[in-house]
Amino acid sequence: MPTKEIHELRERAKELRCLYRLHEIVSQRGQPPAHTFLEVLEVIPEGWQRPESTGARIEYFGRHYVGPGFSSTGETIAAPIRLDGTEVGRVEVSDASIVDDEATTFLDEEKELLRNIAHRLGEYLEWKHTELLGERSTTAGVHWRWREGYAEAMAAALDAERFGVSGVYLGGSTEGGNAGPGSDIDLIVMCDGSEAQREQLRHWFEGWSLCLAELALQQTGYGFPGGILNVQWMTEAPDLRHRPDLRVLKLGGQDTAVPTAGT
């Protein structure tokens, strides 16, 4: 067999091994997306003609995951990652080697390989977006359940006297039981304290919001860049007789019910 044909067969074998390794990685669906991305970035260069000078990175919802050997100054190619038809990121491959003017940095087969990798990552993320905390979700139930649990824990940890808080209410899709992987957590907060107390409370909620957003991202891959909490401020208690979509959350150290309008 001619040397050129042997070389081409070896290149195709490398590409197939790369796809096989990718399949193994994305099949381990108990791993959070960030961990999966880093493993994928390790194996991508193995499928290219010059693995020693090849690197890759993944962009997903504005976050960048960079693999070994990636060079933004070298020649690059990219393919979009799509989730339910919407572009949510991309996979980019670089080659830092210097090639002859007549040579092609990336083969057509490598471009097709990259498209296949991006497609497989999109399939993995579509599956991951239906999963939360290691459970396969066939309904929205699992999404609102953990949101509700953390909302209750957050209220229990809140020092009402320190922040001048007289009530916290849970609403929206979390209280309604139909939250999805991209749903935020809607809270109504009654704060009668000073402006300084309210500012401290804002920072307190912001910390929770960013931490819970990171939890959601790691478990489902769905990003909440500004945090997952949607906090609305009120100075008067809502009338729960006309707001069946709200529920009072018990605050830390609170033994009596939160007053509501009309009671």
Side-chain angles (χ1 to χ4, degrees):
M1 182 179 292
T3 303
K4 181 180 179 181
E5 291 184 12
I6 293 175
H7 174 73
E8 290 178 351
L9 285 174
R10 286 175 177 169
E11 290 301 313
R12 301 298 81 75
K14 286 165 57 177
E15 293 160 9
L16 289 173
R17 282 196 298 270
C18 179
L19 285 175
Y20 178 74
R21 288 285 293 116
L22 173 69
H23 174 74
E24 285 186 321
I25 293 168
V26 298
S27 295
Q28 299 172 11
R29 292 177 171 175
Q31 299 286 1
H35 186 279
T36 298
F37 291 159
L38 293 176
E39 284 198 41
V40 169
L41 291 170
E42 290 277 353
V43 304
I44 284 179
E46 298 174 8
W48 263 251
Q49 57 182 327
R50 290 179 290 274
E52 68 283 351
S53 61
T54 299
R57 70 177 173 185
I58 293 173
E59 178 191 345
Y60 178 57
F61 278 122
R63 294 194 174 201
H64 290 86
Y65 304 85
V66 182
F70 180 81
S71 173
S72 58
T73 60
E75 293 289 329
T76 62
I77 53 172
I81 300 173
R82 291 188 171 88
L83 184 62
D84 295 325
T86 301
E87 186 172 333
V88 295
R90 66 178 189 164
V91 190
E92 189 174 4
V93 172
S94 72
D95 188 340
S97 63
I98 300 175
V99 298
D100 297 335
D101 292 339
E102 297 181 358
T104 301
T105 304
F106 297 105
L107 303 174
D108 289 340
E109 291 83 358
E110 290 174 333
K111 296 174 184 177
E112 181 62 25
L113 173 61
L114 184 58
R115 285 191 287 268
N116 283 329
I117 290 172
H119 179 71
R120 291 291 290 118
L121 286 174
E123 289 181 333
Y124 158 78
L125 290 168
E126 285 182 7
W127 189 94
K128 200 65 179 173
H129 277 217
T130 66
E131 180 197 37
L132 190 63
L133 300 177
E135 298 181 50
R136 182 63 188 250
S137 173
T138 55
T139 68
V142 68
H143 298 294
W144 71 259
R145 193 172 294 116
W146 79 264
R147 284 167 168 78
E148 178 188 56
Y150 274 109
E152 292 172 345
M154 184 168 42
L158 194 154
D159 188 334
E161 183 177 353
R162 173 190 170 191
F163 294 118
V165 173
S166 56
V168 176
Y169 304 81
L170 180 65
S173 58
T174 300
E175 173 59 18
N178 58 353
S183 300
D184 54 16
I185 301 174
D186 296 299
L187 297 176
I188 291 179
V189 179
M190 287 178 55
C191 182
D192 305 319
S194 65
E195 187 57 39
Q197 286 176 304
R198 180 172 293 200
E199 185 64 21
Q200 290 178 351
L201 184 59
R202 285 195 186 97
H203 290 304
W204 190 86
F205 275 122
E206 182 180 4
W208 272 91
S209 186
L210 293 174
C211 286
L212 293 179
E214 184 64 23
L215 172 66
L217 177 67
Q218 293 298 321
Q219 296 298 334
T220 69
Y222 207 101
F224 296 85
I228 200 171
L229 296 182
N230 176 29
V231 180
Q232 301 178 49
W233 303 91
M234 297 185 68
T235 56
E236 295 184 3
D239 189 344
L240 297 186
R241 295 173 302 177
H242 304 295
R243 292 295 305 273
D245 57 316
L246 297 180
R247 175 165 64 89
V248 178
L249 295 178
K250 185 177 179 180
L251 303 179
Q254 187 180 72
D255 296 321
T256 57
V258 175
T260 62
T263 62

